[in-house]
Structures are given as structure tokens and as C-alpha cells.
């Protein structure tokens, strides 16, 4: 134990390994049953690669030392001392690291060789979506945007850092051809192995004060555009459901427990239905939820605004109506 720092001990002995050492029932996962109480709905989460836990039913959570404290009913100081002893008795973290690498690999979708895109490609994408370059760069910085070749075409790809879900669109703005059971051309191609119910950017966004939940990759870029334009970079991030028919994956719901979330639904029947479904899921884990209403806004063409990307085409004199996109007032 001599010379071992508390941070080194936490890396060495993460919660899943601690769970097993203590002989607790069940399996430690991102969505699992609480080992501390009767739990019929799997309302417990182990996250940050086993470093932290959260009980969505009680609101309690913390690091591995807190987990040990609750398990053995120890004070924080006593739990810390016991934790250091256990960490010293378990010197190898290779098994722990291998477990989390294999967990991610088993869930990852099939991706092409990815890159961050050239400056000219970023500018091309910004023009294609009617956004500014800085907003697109923020999406890239947050890890939600990459570029690559799909079906022989240079594409912009919306994805999350764990590569659980990814969707490609052609950089030239054209559609992908029909294939297999897809009888018509498609603007977006979801990559094989994608977990459709996983919100792109959920893990990354969960660290921010407020989260914008949008539908589709184009609106995700638009969300970063508006976040940057409003100067909310340090407070707000965005995540996207890639399809209105999907419910939010329970593992992702667990990550977002207690967060402030504003939904930007598409202004159609499917979009409204999806927004209500997602709101119910997130409210169940204590999220502070509301939705933005685009009704009444019109683009320069005179057409009504139907989604967040359309807002980039609203006349300058009407932009004042969008000043409250990410404020804390409820719409």
C-alpha cells in the first residue's frame, strides 16, 4: 500500500471488481439492479468505465469509495482506509481494462476509416446545411462528427465516442441508392451494427449543465451551431436520436438521470409523438424536461420552420425569437 495514491487505487479497483470482491448479487452494468435494495426495474447504473455509480431511484451515487461505504456501512474515512487495503491486495488492472475494452468492442458498429475532415470539407458541410463553420467545428470537437468513405462516397458521419450508433450522409448532398429491403433512395445511411436506440452524444452530453435533445444528424449539427452562436459552449451540449420511431435506450436513460434536457422535436406527428415518448422516459429518472415549439416561425422562403436546422434559415429580424433556445425558461 505504501506509495499508492488514492487516484491510483481507484484505477486499480473499480466498482465492478469491488462488487465481485464484496460478493454482491447481480451483475454490475450500465443498467442493472441495485445490490443494496429490492429493485424490480433495473434502476442502477455503473458508468465512466466502472469508476462511478448512480442509483436512479434514490438519487444516491458516487465513486468506488462511496460504493464501499454504503455496502459496509462505514464512514467515508473508514471506507477510504479499507478501500486502500483492498486495492493493495489487487495489484493488477489488466483484467478490468480488458473487460471494458471488450464491452465496447462487442457493442460497436461497423465504421469506415474515420478522419476529422479537411477545412474545405467542413466549410462544404456548413454550406450544405446552411450553418456557419464554427458550429460544425464544435460538433467535431465534441466527437459527434467525423468524415469517411461509405459506399464509395465521401460522407459526413454522426456518431458517439463509444461508436454505438453512427449514421452517414453524402457530403455532396445526394442520396444513397436503394439496396436490400430499402426500396427508395435514402438521405441517411445507418451503419451496420448501430444501436438505433442509443442517442448519439449521450455520454458526452451528460457532463453538461443542459442538454439539447434533437431528432436526426442534421439537427444535431444545428444544435451545435446554435450553442456556439449563443455562447453556451461551456454550459450546453447536444445529443440526437437518429429516428423518431426509436425509444431511448435504458442504458442511456440511466446516464442522463437528473439532467436538464430540452427537446427540439420535428414539427410533425411523428416528431411530436417521439418527443412525448422521450420526455416520459427521461422524467422517470428525474430529468427536468421541456420542449421547444417552432410554431409560427418562418424561413426566408416563407415556408414554416419544422425543425432546428430550419431555424438557420429564419430572417435576421426574427432571430430575436430564438434568443431563448437554451435559457432555463419553460416553453
Amino acid at each position: 500500500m505504501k506509495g499508492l495514491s488514492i487516484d491510483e487505487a481507484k484505477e486499480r479497483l473499480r466498482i465492478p471488481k469491488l462488487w465481485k470482491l464484496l460478493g454482491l448479487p447481480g451483475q454490475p452494468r450500465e443498467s442493472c439492479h441495485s445490490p443494496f435494495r429490492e429493485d424490480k426495474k433495473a434502476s442502477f447504473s455503473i458508468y465512466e468505465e466502472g469508476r462511478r455509480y448512480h442509483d436512479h431511484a434514490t438519487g444516491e451515487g458516487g465513486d468506488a469509495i462511496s460504493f464501499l461505504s454504503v455496502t459496509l456501512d462505514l464512514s467515508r474515512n473508514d471506507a477510504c482506509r479499507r478501500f486502500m487495503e483492498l486495492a493493495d491486495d489487487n495489484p493488477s488492472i489488466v483484467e478490468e481494462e480488458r473487460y471494458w475494452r471488450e464491452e465496447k468492442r462487442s457493442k460497436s458498429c461497423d465504421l469506415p476509416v474515420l478522419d476529422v475532415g479537411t477545412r474545405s470539407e467542413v466549410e462544404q458541410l456548413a454550406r450544405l446545411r446552411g450553418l456557419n463553420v464554427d458550429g460544425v467545428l464544435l460538433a467535431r470537437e465534441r466527437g459527434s462528427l467525423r468524415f469517411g468513405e461509405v459506399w464509395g462516397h465521401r460522407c459526413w458521419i454522426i456518431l458517439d465516442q463509444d461508436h454505438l450508433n453512427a449514421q452517414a450522409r453524402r457530403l455532396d448532398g445526394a442520396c444513397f441508392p436503394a439496396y436490400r429491403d430499402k426500396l427508395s433512395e435514402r438521405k441517411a445511411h445507418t451503419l451496420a451494427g448501430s444501436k438505433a436506440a442509443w442517442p448519439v452524444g449521450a455520454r458526452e452530453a451528460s457532463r453538461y449543465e443542459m442538454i439539447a435533445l434533437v431528432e436526426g444528424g442534421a439537427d444535431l449539427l444545428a444544435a451545435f451551431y446554435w450553442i456556439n452562436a449563443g455562447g453556451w459552449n461551456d454550459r450546453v451540449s447536444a445529443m440526437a436520436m437518429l429516428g423518431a420511431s426509436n425509444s431511448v435506450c435504458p442504458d442511456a436513460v440511466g446516464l442522463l438521470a437528473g439532467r436538464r434536457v430540452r427537446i427540439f422535436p420535428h414539427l410533425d406527428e411523428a416528431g411530436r409523438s417521439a418527443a412525448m415518448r422521450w420526455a416520459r422516459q427521461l422524467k422517470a429518472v428525474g430529468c427536468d424536461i421541456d420542449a421547444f415549439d417552432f410554431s409560427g416561425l418562418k424561413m426566408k422562403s416563407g415556408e414554416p420552420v419544422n425543425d432546428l436546422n430550419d431555424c438557420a434559415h429564419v430572417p435576421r429580424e426574427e432571430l430575436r425569437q430564438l434568443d431563448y433556445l437554451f435559457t432555463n425558461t419553460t416553453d
Side-chain angles (χ1 to χ4, degrees):
M1 184 165 61
K2 184 178 180 181
L4 188 68
S5 72
I6 192 69
D7 289 337
E8 290 170 335
K10 287 180 179 180
E11 286 300 298
R12 180 173 292 184
L13 185 55
R14 301 184 195 180
I15 294 172
K17 193 170 185 179
L18 185 60
W19 183 307
K20 295 173 184 177
L21 285 174
L22 296 170
L24 295 173
Q27 294 294 324
R29 302 281 185 187
E30 287 188 357
S31 178
C32 59
H33 295 281
S34 170
F36 304 137
R37 56 179 175 76
E38 185 178 357
D39 185 15
K40 296 180 180 179
K41 295 185 178 181
S43 58
F44 202 85
S45 292
I46 307 297
Y47 64 104
E48 285 192 12
E49 298 191 349
R51 296 180 179 88
R52 299 189 67 81
Y53 78 95
H54 185 81
D55 189 327
H56 306 300
T58 66
E60 297 174 348
D63 59 12
I65 296 174
S66 298
F67 186 86
L68 182 64
S69 174
V70 173
T71 304
L72 301 181
D73 193 23
L74 299 173
S75 68
R76 177 75 182 187
N77 287 340
D78 288 343
C80 187
R81 283 192 289 270
R82 179 59 179 146
F83 182 81
M84 296 297 285
E85 292 170 0
L86 289 171
D88 189 53
D89 291 337
N90 291 272
S92 175
I93 65 170
V94 173
E95 180 182 348
E96 189 79 4
E97 293 289 353
R98 184 186 299 118
Y99 168 82
W100 287 104
R101 284 199 301 270
E102 290 177 352
E103 273 286 289
K104 286 185 176 181
R105 189 180 299 116
S106 67
K107 295 178 181 178
S108 297
C109 55
D110 296 333
L111 293 171
V113 176
L114 299 173
D115 60 73
V116 298
T118 65
R119 176 71 182 193
S120 63
E121 287 176 328
V122 169
E123 292 173 349
Q124 182 180 351
L125 176 56
R127 289 193 301 271
L128 182 67
R129 303 311 315 178
L131 308 173
N132 66 19
V133 171
D134 288 340
V136 176
L137 288 173
L138 180 59
R140 189 177 72 174
E141 177 187 321
R142 297 282 171 90
S144 295
L145 172 67
R146 291 294 183 265
F147 295 81
E149 186 172 302
V150 178
W151 284 25
H153 301 285
R154 188 65 172 165
C155 295
W156 56 281
I157 301 169
I158 294 296
L159 75 170
D160 63 291
Q161 291 181 359
D162 289 336
H163 300 170
L164 299 177
N165 196 7
Q167 194 173 80
R169 293 193 182 210
R170 289 173 55 166
L171 192 55
D172 60 10
C175 292
F176 290 101
Y179 83 113
R180 295 180 186 173
D181 58 334
K182 308 295 183 182
L183 302 179
S184 60
E185 294 182 332
R186 297 149 297 118
K187 291 181 179 179
H189 173 64
T190 300
L191 300 184
S194 288
K195 192 173 186 178
W198 185 267
V200 169
R203 190 183 305 279
E204 301 88 322
S206 66
R207 298 190 289 266
Y208 286 79
E209 176 184 332
M210 183 177 174
I211 302 167
L213 172 55
V214 303
E215 179 189 333
D219 272 16
L220 184 62
L221 288 186
F224 284 116
Y225 163 76
W226 287 110
I227 289 168
N228 181 75
W232 291 294
N233 301 41
D234 295 333
R235 298 173 50 200
V236 182
S237 195
M239 62 184 185
M241 292 295 292
L242 301 183
S245 62
N246 298 312
S247 295
V248 183
C249 173
D251 288 351
V253 172
L255 288 175
L256 302 170
R259 310 306 298 168
R260 172 81 175 89
V261 181
R262 174 161 291 175
I263 302 174
F264 293 87
H266 284 192
L267 200 60
D268 56 25
E269 185 175 348
R272 292 188 184 96
S273 177
M276 289 188 289
R277 187 187 328 119
W278 301 335
R280 285 194 299 269
Q281 288 185 272
L282 295 172
K283 282 182 179 178
V285 294
C287 289
D288 179 9
I289 294 281
D290 62 19
F292 191 89
D293 187 0
F294 297 111
S295 298
L297 286 174
K298 292 186 182 296
M299 295 182 283
K300 295 175 183 177
S301 64
E303 295 294 314
V305 167
N306 291 309
D307 56 39
L308 191 56
N309 198 172
D310 284 350
C311 288
H313 305 282
V314 171
R316 182 176 300 274
E317 60 270 18
E318 293 189 27
L319 288 179
R320 63 182 182 279
Q321 299 182 49
L322 302 174
D323 287 344
Y324 52 92
L325 274 173
F326 300 110
T327 61
N328 289 325
T329 56
T330 300
D331 297 311

